[in-house]
Amino acid sequence: MGEEGTKGTVHLLCLAASSGVPLFCRSSRGGAPARQQLPFSVIGSLNGVHMFGQNLEVQLSSARTEDTTVVWKSFHDSITLIVLSSEEGTSELRLERLLQMVFGAMVLLVGLEELTNIRNVERLKKELRASYRLIDSFLGDSELIGDLTQCVDCVVPPEGTLLQEALSGFAEAAATAFGSLVVSGRVVAATESWWRLGTPEAVLLPWLVGSLPPQAARDYPVYLPHGSPTVPHRLLTLTLLPGLELCLLCGPRPPLSQLDPQLLDRWWQPVLDPLRACVPLGPRALPAGFPLHMDILGLLLLHLELKRCLFTVEPSADQEPGSPEEKVEDAAQRSQVPRACYLVSGPEGPGTGWRLVALQSGPRRLLLLSAQSPTHALRGLATHTLHALTPLL
């Protein structure tokens, strides 16, 4: 559930739409998986009120009680997903996107045909167990934000060009056009074909890799919810360094055994140092030494055309000092003036409360969190930061 709201309990229900039979129930409490399950009577009531509305041609999409938000969503008239959240401040949009991600995960690992043409409920229940780990990662605390932004979580490596060349060469040698480097569920580099993957698989695939337990190599069958929901592909992963994985999306070939150590050494040994520099990038997103103003506590940069994002609440320790007021003057001299808005929570004095500023410039959106900058300096701080980040994304 990311960072939104005060931690509470989240219940996720999946039912067969026609019969109302529960297929699974997953829960989290305080951001961690929980064994607490809803009583069957509650599950039946939640599904019953939704079906009652459908019979009257009324679409029930959400409801609120004093301490809980409930969202319903049906997929292909076959699967009904229901989520209940007691997290303070959780929005209905946030929960609706969560359900979209959950169904995407189900298609990714089971295939659309099994979900829309249910022949054997018990068999489907067993097959859906393969998606539990990925789904649980959506419900718990996560440093990823692609489920909410619907953009691919990325990091910026210090020597991206070298890694891109090695990745393209290796993918060609492995006879696939789809390759990426993934660290902690975030894409470090990818081939052009990988970047052209549709939504939601472009977000789901690196998230899946980040959610799996460490393994030297994998040959994982996956469906592409947008591009190939009924015909499986193979997701091959190879651990280059702890936490850093090479991912290939391919058909029947190549066999995993063809990706032998000699082939790996040929392409990746020359760039071993740049690879090592990628490992700590997970939560930070930006390379060490990238100049950020010391007032910035966290940032989110979206590129809505490329469908990519940078997100961190752990900016680099090498932050630049300086007066935010000076940045306002610099920004005013730019020919392109971004559109901006801001939110101040708490007292106005520096060091008290929080300041959130949002900036729009072309296809880019930047959100900054600061505790020190005075309100009148927020726009200049954000504009300066956006200009510094623009070459990266």
Side-chain angles (χ1 to χ4, degrees):
M1 293 294 292
E3 302 296 328
E4 181 178 337
T6 301
K7 294 178 181 179
T9 301
V10 180
H11 296 288
L12 172 71
L13 310 174
C14 176
L15 306 100
S18 58
S19 63
V21 174
L23 299 177
F24 65 78
C25 177
R26 309 301 295 172
S27 301
S28 73
R29 184 176 182 84
R35 293 185 177 274
Q36 178 185 1
Q37 300 291 319
L38 290 174
F40 187 79
S41 58
V42 174
I43 296 175
S45 298
L46 289 169
N47 187 53
V49 70
H50 183 254
M51 295 181 67
F52 179 76
Q54 286 183 320
N55 292 335
L56 298 177
E57 298 183 353
V58 174
Q59 184 63 44
L60 176 61
S61 59
S62 63
R64 284 185 179 271
T65 66
E66 183 177 339
D67 59 359
T68 302
T69 303
V70 186
V71 172
W72 292 261
K73 194 167 183 63
S74 294
F75 297 86
H76 299 274
D77 296 322
S78 179
I79 298 292
T80 298
L81 294 177
I82 307 171
V83 61
L84 301 84
S85 175
S86 63
E87 293 184 334
E88 183 181 350
T90 297
S91 66
E92 294 169 6
L93 173 63
R94 173 72 183 85
L95 296 178
E96 182 177 344
R97 291 195 171 176
L98 169 65
L99 295 185
Q100 292 171 347
M101 286 286 285
V102 169
F103 185 74
M106 294 164 64
V107 176
L108 184 78
L109 297 172
V110 175
L112 187 60
E113 177 66 24
E114 293 293 326
L115 299 173
T116 57
N117 188 13
I118 302 175
R119 300 181 183 88
N120 186 315
V121 170
E122 292 305 316
R123 186 182 70 183
L124 179 59
K125 286 182 181 180
K126 293 179 181 178
E127 292 177 344
L128 284 171
R129 290 174 187 169
S131 65
Y132 286 179
R133 182 181 289 271
L134 179 55
I135 289 172
D136 287 347
S137 71
F138 300 152
L139 301 181
D141 282 341
S142 175
E143 295 175 341
L144 304 177
I145 202 169
D147 56 334
L148 180 60
T149 64
Q150 299 183 325
C151 295
V152 180
D153 285 283
C154 301
V155 300
V156 179
E159 298 187 65
T161 302
L162 290 177
L163 297 178
Q164 188 69 51
E165 291 174 354
L167 176 62
S168 299
F170 183 87
E172 184 178 354
T176 179
F178 299 89
S180 68
L181 290 173
V182 174
V183 59
S184 304
R186 298 168 173 86
V187 175
V188 178
T191 61
E192 291 185 10
S193 295
W194 184 285
W195 284 128
R196 288 199 294 268
L197 288 171
T199 304
E201 51 259 35
V203 175
L204 285 169
L205 286 171
W207 198 310
L208 170 66
V209 173
S211 71
L212 295 173
Q215 198 166 337
R218 304 186 191 91
D219 192 337
Y220 216 82
V222 294
Y223 297 81
L224 304 182
H226 175 76
S228 182
T230 58
V231 178
H233 287 63
R234 295 164 62 226
L235 177 64
L236 306 183
T237 70
L238 297 162
T239 298
L240 301 181
L241 292 170
L244 178 63
E245 300 193 59
L246 169 64
C247 305
L248 301 175
L249 192 63
C250 54
R253 301 187 63 83
L256 187 59
S257 59
Q258 183 177 319
L259 307 179
D260 53 45
Q262 289 78 15
L263 183 63
L264 288 170
D265 286 346
R266 174 188 170 190
W267 290 101
W268 298 109
Q269 188 66 36
V271 292
L272 187 56
D273 287 339
L275 287 174
R276 288 193 179 114
C278 294
V279 174
L281 286 180
R284 194 170 62 204
L286 298 169
F290 184 84
L292 283 179
H293 197 282
M294 61 189 304
D295 288 347
I296 297 174
L297 302 180
L299 65 86
L300 169 64
L301 176 63
L302 304 172
H303 196 300
L304 299 182
E305 291 180 358
L306 298 178
K307 292 290 185 181
R308 304 177 198 173
C309 67
L310 294 173
F311 172 65
T312 181
V313 290
E314 299 180 23
S316 170
D318 302 314
Q319 292 177 311
E320 63 176 19
S323 169
E325 289 85 348
E326 294 173 1
K327 308 304 182 186
V328 177
E329 184 178 350
D330 293 341
Q333 296 173 0
R334 304 278 184 178
S335 59
Q336 181 181 7
V337 180
R339 299 171 61 185
C341 63
Y342 65 89
L343 174 68
V344 176
S345 174
E348 282 281 352
T352 59
W354 303 95
R355 290 106 173 95
L356 180 67
V357 57
L359 209 62
Q360 171 185 334
S361 180
R364 294 177 176 85
R365 307 289 187 273
L366 175 67
L367 279 79
L368 286 185
L369 181 65
S370 171
Q372 298 292 332
S373 297
T375 302
H376 68 270
L378 291 176
R379 184 188 181 106
L381 175 65
T383 301
H384 175 77
T385 305
L386 180 58
H387 281 297
L389 292 171
T390 292
L392 305 181
L393 187 64

